Coordinates of all heavy atoms in Angstrom, one line a residue:
A36 N 48.8 -40.1 -11.9 CA 47.6 -39.4 -11.5 C 47.3 -38.2 -12.4 O 46.2 -37.9 -12.8 CB 47.7 -39.0 -10.0
L37 N 48.4 -37.4 -12.7 CA 48.3 -36.3 -13.5 C 47.8 -36.6 -14.9 O 47.0 -36.0 -15.5 CB 49.6 -35.5 -13.5 CG 49.6 -34.1 -14.3 CD1 48.6 -33.2 -13.6 CD2 51.0 -33.6 -14.3
S38 N 48.4 -37.7 -15.4 CA 48.0 -38.2 -16.8 C 46.6 -38.6 -16.8 O 45.9 -38.3 -17.8 CB 49.0 -39.3 -17.2 OG 50.3 -38.9 -17.4
L39 N 46.1 -39.3 -15.8 CA 44.7 -39.8 -15.8 C 43.8 -38.6 -15.7 O 42.8 -38.5 -16.5 CB 44.5 -40.6 -14.5 CG 44.7 -42.1 -14.7 CD1 44.5 -42.9 -13.4 CD2 43.8 -42.7 -15.8
I40 N 44.1 -37.6 -14.9 CA 43.2 -36.4 -14.8 C 43.1 -35.7 -16.1 O 42.0 -35.3 -16.6 CB 43.7 -35.5 -13.6 CG1 43.5 -36.2 -12.3 CG2 43.0 -34.1 -13.7 CD1 44.2 -35.4 -11.1
V41 N 44.3 -35.5 -16.7 CA 44.3 -34.7 -18.0 C 43.6 -35.5 -19.1 O 42.8 -35.0 -19.8 CB 45.8 -34.5 -18.4 CG1 45.8 -34.0 -19.9 CG2 46.4 -33.4 -17.5
G42 N 43.8 -36.8 -19.1 CA 43.1 -37.6 -20.1 C 41.6 -37.6 -20.0 O 40.9 -37.5 -21.0
I43 N 41.1 -37.7 -18.8 CA 39.7 -37.7 -18.5 C 39.1 -36.3 -18.9 O 38.0 -36.2 -19.5 CB 39.3 -38.0 -17.1 CG1 39.7 -39.5 -16.8 CG2 37.9 -37.8 -16.7 CD1 39.6 -39.9 -15.3
L44 N 39.8 -35.2 -18.5 CA 39.3 -33.9 -18.8 C 39.3 -33.6 -20.3 O 38.3 -33.0 -20.9 CB 40.2 -32.9 -18.1 CG 40.0 -32.7 -16.6 CD1 40.9 -31.7 -16.0 CD2 38.5 -32.3 -16.3
F45 N 40.3 -34.1 -21.0 CA 40.4 -33.9 -22.5 C 39.2 -34.6 -23.2 O 38.7 -34.0 -24.1 CB 41.7 -34.4 -23.0 CG 42.8 -33.4 -23.0 CD1 42.8 -32.4 -22.0 CD2 43.9 -33.5 -23.8 CE1 43.8 -31.5 -22.0 CE2 44.9 -32.6 -23.8 CZ 44.9 -31.6 -22.9
I46 N 38.8 -35.8 -22.7 CA 37.7 -36.5 -23.4 C 36.4 -36.0 -22.9 O 35.5 -35.8 -23.7 CB 37.9 -38.0 -23.1 CG1 39.1 -38.6 -23.8 CG2 36.6 -38.8 -23.5 CD1 39.4 -40.0 -23.5
A47 N 36.3 -35.6 -21.7 CA 35.0 -35.1 -21.1 C 34.6 -33.7 -21.6 O 33.5 -33.3 -21.7 CB 35.0 -35.2 -19.6
L48 N 35.7 -32.9 -21.8 CA 35.4 -31.4 -22.1 C 36.1 -31.0 -23.4 O 37.0 -30.1 -23.4 CB 35.9 -30.6 -20.9 CG 35.3 -30.9 -19.6 CD1 36.1 -30.1 -18.5 CD2 33.8 -30.6 -19.5
P49 N 35.8 -31.7 -24.5 CA 36.6 -31.4 -25.7 C 36.3 -30.1 -26.4 O 37.1 -29.6 -27.2 CB 36.1 -32.6 -26.7 CG 34.8 -32.9 -26.2 CD 34.8 -32.7 -24.7
I50 N 35.2 -29.4 -26.0 CA 34.8 -28.2 -26.7 C 35.2 -26.9 -25.9 O 34.7 -25.8 -26.2 CB 33.3 -28.2 -27.1 CG1 32.4 -28.4 -25.9 CG2 33.1 -29.2 -28.2 CD1 31.0 -28.2 -26.2
E51 N 35.9 -27.1 -24.8 CA 36.3 -26.0 -24.0 C 37.3 -25.1 -24.9 O 37.8 -25.6 -25.9 CB 37.0 -26.4 -22.7 CG 36.1 -27.2 -21.8 CD 35.0 -26.3 -21.2 OE1 35.3 -25.1 -20.9 OE2 33.9 -26.8 -21.2
S52 N 37.5 -23.9 -24.4 CA 38.3 -23.0 -25.2 C 39.7 -23.6 -25.5 O 40.3 -24.2 -24.7 CB 38.5 -21.7 -24.5 OG 39.3 -21.8 -23.4
A53 N 40.2 -23.2 -26.7 CA 41.6 -23.7 -27.1 C 42.6 -23.1 -26.1 O 43.7 -23.7 -25.9 CB 41.9 -23.3 -28.5
L54 N 42.4 -21.9 -25.6 CA 43.3 -21.2 -24.7 C 43.5 -22.0 -23.4 O 44.6 -22.3 -23.0 CB 42.9 -19.8 -24.4 CG 43.8 -19.0 -23.5 CD1 45.2 -18.8 -24.1 CD2 43.2 -17.7 -23.1
F55 N 42.4 -22.5 -22.8 CA 42.4 -23.3 -21.6 C 43.1 -24.6 -21.9 O 43.9 -25.0 -21.1 CB 41.0 -23.5 -21.1 CG 40.9 -24.6 -20.0 CD1 41.2 -24.2 -18.7 CD2 40.5 -25.9 -20.3 CE1 41.1 -25.2 -17.7 CE2 40.4 -26.8 -19.3 CZ 40.7 -26.5 -18.0
I56 N 42.8 -25.2 -23.0 CA 43.4 -26.5 -23.3 C 44.9 -26.4 -23.5 O 45.7 -27.2 -23.0 CB 42.7 -27.1 -24.6 CG1 41.3 -27.5 -24.2 CG2 43.5 -28.3 -25.1 CD1 40.4 -27.9 -25.4
S57 N 45.3 -25.3 -24.2 CA 46.7 -25.1 -24.4 C 47.5 -24.9 -23.1 O 48.5 -25.5 -22.9 CB 46.9 -23.9 -25.3 OG 46.4 -24.1 -26.6
I58 N 46.9 -24.1 -22.2 CA 47.6 -23.8 -20.9 C 47.6 -25.1 -20.1 O 48.7 -25.5 -19.5 CB 46.8 -22.7 -20.2 CG1 47.0 -21.4 -20.9 CG2 47.3 -22.6 -18.7 CD1 46.2 -20.3 -20.3
F59 N 46.5 -25.8 -20.0 CA 46.4 -27.0 -19.2 C 47.3 -28.1 -19.8 O 48.1 -28.8 -19.0 CB 45.0 -27.5 -19.1 CG 44.7 -28.4 -18.0 CD1 44.8 -28.0 -16.7 CD2 44.5 -29.8 -18.2 CE1 44.5 -28.8 -15.6 CE2 44.2 -30.6 -17.2 CZ 44.3 -30.2 -15.9
F60 N 47.3 -28.3 -21.1 CA 48.1 -29.3 -21.7 C 49.6 -28.9 -21.6 O 50.5 -29.8 -21.3 CB 47.8 -29.4 -23.2 CG 48.5 -30.4 -23.9 CD1 48.4 -31.8 -23.6 CD2 49.4 -30.1 -25.0 CE1 49.1 -32.7 -24.3 CE2 50.1 -31.0 -25.7 CZ 50.0 -32.4 -25.3
G61 N 49.9 -27.6 -21.7 CA 51.3 -27.2 -21.5 C 51.8 -27.4 -20.1 O 52.9 -27.9 -19.9
A62 N 51.0 -27.2 -19.1 CA 51.3 -27.4 -17.7 C 51.5 -28.9 -17.5 O 52.5 -29.3 -16.8 CB 50.2 -26.9 -16.8
W63 N 50.7 -29.7 -18.1 CA 50.8 -31.2 -18.0 C 52.1 -31.7 -18.6 O 52.9 -32.4 -17.9 CB 49.7 -31.9 -18.6 CG 49.8 -33.4 -18.7 CD1 50.1 -34.3 -17.7 CD2 49.7 -34.2 -19.9 NE1 50.1 -35.5 -18.2 CE2 49.9 -35.5 -19.5 CE3 49.5 -33.9 -21.2 CZ2 49.9 -36.6 -20.4 CZ3 49.5 -34.9 -22.2 CH2 49.7 -36.3 -21.7
L64 N 52.5 -31.2 -19.8 CA 53.7 -31.6 -20.4 C 54.9 -31.2 -19.6 O 55.9 -31.9 -19.4 CB 53.8 -31.0 -21.8 CG 53.0 -31.6 -22.9 CD1 53.2 -30.9 -24.2 CD2 53.3 -33.1 -23.1
A65 N 54.9 -29.9 -19.1 CA 56.0 -29.4 -18.3 C 56.2 -30.2 -17.0 O 57.3 -30.6 -16.7 CB 55.8 -27.9 -18.0
V66 N 55.1 -30.4 -16.3 CA 55.2 -31.2 -15.0 C 55.7 -32.6 -15.3 O 56.5 -33.1 -14.5 CB 53.9 -31.1 -14.2 CG1 54.0 -32.0 -13.0 CG2 53.6 -29.7 -13.8
T67 N 55.1 -33.2 -16.3 CA 55.5 -34.6 -16.6 C 56.9 -34.7 -17.0 O 57.6 -35.6 -16.6 CB 54.6 -35.2 -17.8 OG1 53.2 -35.1 -17.4 CG2 55.0 -36.6 -18.1
G68 N 57.4 -33.7 -17.8 CA 58.8 -33.7 -18.2 C 59.7 -33.5 -17.0 O 60.7 -34.2 -16.8
L69 N 59.3 -32.6 -16.1 CA 60.1 -32.3 -14.9 C 60.2 -33.4 -14.0 O 61.3 -33.8 -13.5 CB 59.6 -31.0 -14.2 CG 60.3 -30.6 -13.0 CD1 61.8 -30.2 -13.4 CD2 59.6 -29.4 -12.3
T70 N 59.1 -34.1 -13.7 CA 59.1 -35.2 -12.8 C 59.9 -36.4 -13.4 O 60.5 -37.2 -12.7 CB 57.7 -35.7 -12.5 OG1 56.9 -36.0 -13.7 CG2 56.9 -34.7 -11.7
G71 N 59.8 -36.5 -14.8 CA 60.6 -37.6 -15.4 C 62.1 -37.3 -15.3 O 62.9 -38.3 -15.1
I72 N 62.5 -36.1 -15.4 CA 63.9 -35.7 -15.2 C 64.4 -36.0 -13.8 O 65.4 -36.6 -13.6 CB 64.2 -34.3 -15.6 CG1 63.9 -34.1 -17.1 CG2 65.6 -33.8 -15.2 CD1 63.9 -32.6 -17.6
I73 N 63.5 -35.6 -12.8 CA 63.8 -35.9 -11.4 C 63.9 -37.4 -11.1 O 64.9 -37.8 -10.5 CB 62.8 -35.2 -10.5 CG1 62.9 -33.7 -10.6 CG2 63.0 -35.7 -9.0 CD1 61.7 -33.0 -9.9
A74 N 63.0 -38.1 -11.7 CA 63.0 -39.6 -11.5 C 64.3 -40.2 -12.1 O 64.8 -41.1 -11.5 CB 61.8 -40.2 -12.1
H75 N 64.7 -39.7 -13.2 CA 65.9 -40.2 -13.9 C 67.1 -40.0 -13.0 O 67.9 -41.0 -12.8 CB 66.1 -39.4 -15.2 CG 67.4 -39.8 -15.9 ND1 67.6 -40.9 -16.7 CD2 68.6 -39.1 -15.9 CE1 68.8 -40.9 -17.1 NE2 69.5 -39.9 -16.7
F76 N 67.3 -38.9 -12.4 CA 68.5 -38.6 -11.5 C 68.4 -39.2 -10.1 O 69.3 -39.2 -9.4 CB 68.8 -37.1 -11.5 CG 69.3 -36.6 -12.8 CD1 68.5 -35.8 -13.7 CD2 70.6 -37.0 -13.2 CE1 69.0 -35.4 -14.9 CE2 71.1 -36.5 -14.5 CZ 70.3 -35.7 -15.3

Side-chain angles (χ1 to χ4, degrees):
L37 186 61
S38 294
L39 270 178
I40 292 170
V41 169
I43 291 170
L44 287 176
F45 273 25
I46 292 174
L48 304 171
I50 58 173
E51 295 297 314
S52 70
L54 181 62
F55 169 78
I56 291 169
S57 297
I58 293 173
F59 199 68
F60 182 63
W63 172 54
L64 284 179
V66 173
T67 300
L69 182 61
T70 56
I72 293 170
I73 293 172
H75 174 82
F76 288 106

